[in-house]
Amino acid sequence: MIFRKKLRYILVEASEEVRMDDVRSLDSLKEQFSSFLGQLPNFKANPQVAAQLNDRVFVVSVNRGYERNAILVLSFIKNLDGKSLGFYTLRTSGSMRSIRNAFRKLY
Amino acid sequence: MQFFDLVAMRCDSLEGLAGRLGYKKIFCAGRDLDIVENLSASPRRKILRSDDFETITKALKQNDVIGVMPEGASVSNKTFDAIKNSEKILFIAFSPVTRAETGSRIQKLAKVRSLVRNTLRSKTPFAIITLAEDGSEIMSGAQMLEVAGFFGIPQKHAKEALHRLGGLL
C-alpha cells in the first residue's frame, strides 16, 4: 500500500508587504511555527510556503489534520525577521487550484 | 451566519478587507461607537470599560450602553448577573493576547481563559472582538473561531459571539 501524503493549503494575507521567497523571512516563519507548535507537532504538520501569489498574499501548506493549528499559530505571529506585521488567513482548501480560484475571486 | 468585528484604529482601508476576512462589517471605535471608562455624555452608543461594580450597574441602566468590557480579566459573579439581567453583553477582546510579548503572553492567556470559562459558566451573553489597534492585530473570522476554540469556547457559541455585535449597532 502506498502512503499518500495529503496536504491542506491556507491562503494567507500579510498586513505588510512580505516576500516569502526571501530565505530570512521563510526561516523566521518556520522558526516561529516551531516555537508556537513545538518541535514534534511542527515536524508532523510540516508547514511550508507553497506559493507567493502577490506581494502580500502567499499560500502555506500543512499536512492534513494540522490546518487548524496552523491558523492558530498564524494568529499569534506578529513579527517576521524583525519586521512588525500580522497574518490573516483567508481560505483553507485541499487543492492548490481552488486556492488560486479563491485568490482570483478575492482580488 | 454573518460575522462582525470591532477595531480601535483608523478605518479608512477596512472596506475591502472586511469582506476578504469573512466579516459582514468591521465597526470602528470612535466612529461607530465609543469605548468609555466612565459615564460621559456622548451621542454615540457606548461600551463601558471598567471593573468597578458600581459604575457597571449604573451604566447598565442606560440605553446607549450596549455592553461592558472588563479592564482586568476578573469579573465577579455579581457583575455577570447584572449584565445578564440587563440584557447587555460582555465583550471579550482577543488582540491584547495575540499581540502580547512572549514574557507576558502566558499570563494574559490564562486570564482570558479564566474570563471565558466564567462567562460560559454564568451563561452571560458575550461577543468576541479583536479590538485591534493597528493592521497587524486584525484577525479573520476563521482565526477568531480558532482562537475562540483555543480558549474553550464551543464552535456554536463562538459563531454566535462573532455575530452578536451586528444586532446591537
Side-chain angles (χ1 to χ4, degrees), chain B:
Chain B
M1 194 176 277
Q2 292 170 332
F3 296 160
F4 299 88
D5 192 19
L6 174 66
V7 296
M9 55 183 270
R10 284 173 61 95
C11 303
D12 311 334
S13 57
L14 292 180
E15 292 304 316
L17 187 64
R20 290 205 298 277
L21 299 185
Y23 295 113
K24 171 80 174 167
K25 189 174 180 187
I26 297 178
F27 294 104
C28 297
R31 187 188 70 184
D32 301 307
L33 58 86
D34 285 328
I35 297 174
V36 295
E37 294 189 351
N38 46 39
L39 295 170
S40 57
S42 157
R44 284 188 285 260
R45 289 177 170 240
K46 300 181 200 76
I47 295 173
L48 181 76
R49 190 175 207 166
S50 175
D51 285 333
D52 181 39
F53 180 69
E54 295 293 318
T55 315
I56 291 172
T57 46
K58 271 184 198 167
L60 291 174
K61 289 173 188 159
Q62 296 194 355
N63 287 333
D64 56 353
V65 174
I66 59 168
V68 176
M69 189 186 305
E71 203 160 7
S74 57
V75 178
S76 67
N77 288 337
K78 279 194 301 183
T79 310
F80 280 124
D81 288 340
I83 296 169
K84 202 162 60 174
N85 295 334
S86 66
E87 295 177 353
K88 310 278 183 186
I89 60 174
L90 184 83
F91 285 88
I92 301 173
F94 282 165
S95 79
V97 183
T98 55
R99 72 161 172 253
E101 295 294 322
T102 314
S104 61
R105 186 179 291 124
I106 297 296
Q107 204 178 5
K108 287 188 176 175
L109 284 171
K111 278 184 178 176
V112 173
R113 189 178 56 189
S114 159
L115 176 65
V116 164
R117 276 184 188 169
N118 291 333
T119 308
L120 288 171
R121 192 166 46 207
S122 66
K123 294 181 179 165
T124 306
F126 67 100
I128 50 177
I129 54 174
T130 54
L131 203 67
E133 289 176 7
D134 67 52
S136 67
E137 294 173 12
I138 299 176
M139 287 189 279
S140 67
Q143 284 174 301
M144 289 295 279
L145 289 176
E146 288 308 325
V147 176
F150 177 66
F151 285 123
I153 304 175
Q155 185 96 346
K156 186 184 158 197
H157 286 78
K159 284 182 177 175
E160 284 170 3
L162 274 173
H163 173 74
R164 200 161 273 137
L165 184 61
L168 300 169
L169 293 170

Side-chain angles (χ1 to χ4, degrees), chain A residues 13 15 36 68 71-72 74-76 78 84-91 106-107, chain B residues 17 20-21 97-99 105 109 135-140 142-143 146-147 150 155:
Chain A
E13 179 179 335
S15 62
F36 279 108
R68 295 182 66 178
I71 291 171
L72 190 60
L74 286 165
S75 311
F76 281 91
K78 295 296 170 201
S84 174
L85 83 174
F87 295 113
Y88 321 135
T89 62
L90 308 177
R91 287 282 189 284
L106 288 171
Y107 293 89
Chain B
L17 187 64
R20 290 205 298 277
L21 299 185
V97 183
T98 55
R99 72 161 172 253
R105 186 179 291 124
L109 284 171
S136 67
E137 294 173 12
I138 299 176
M139 287 189 279
S140 67
Q143 284 174 301
E146 288 308 325
V147 176
F150 177 66
Q155 185 96 346

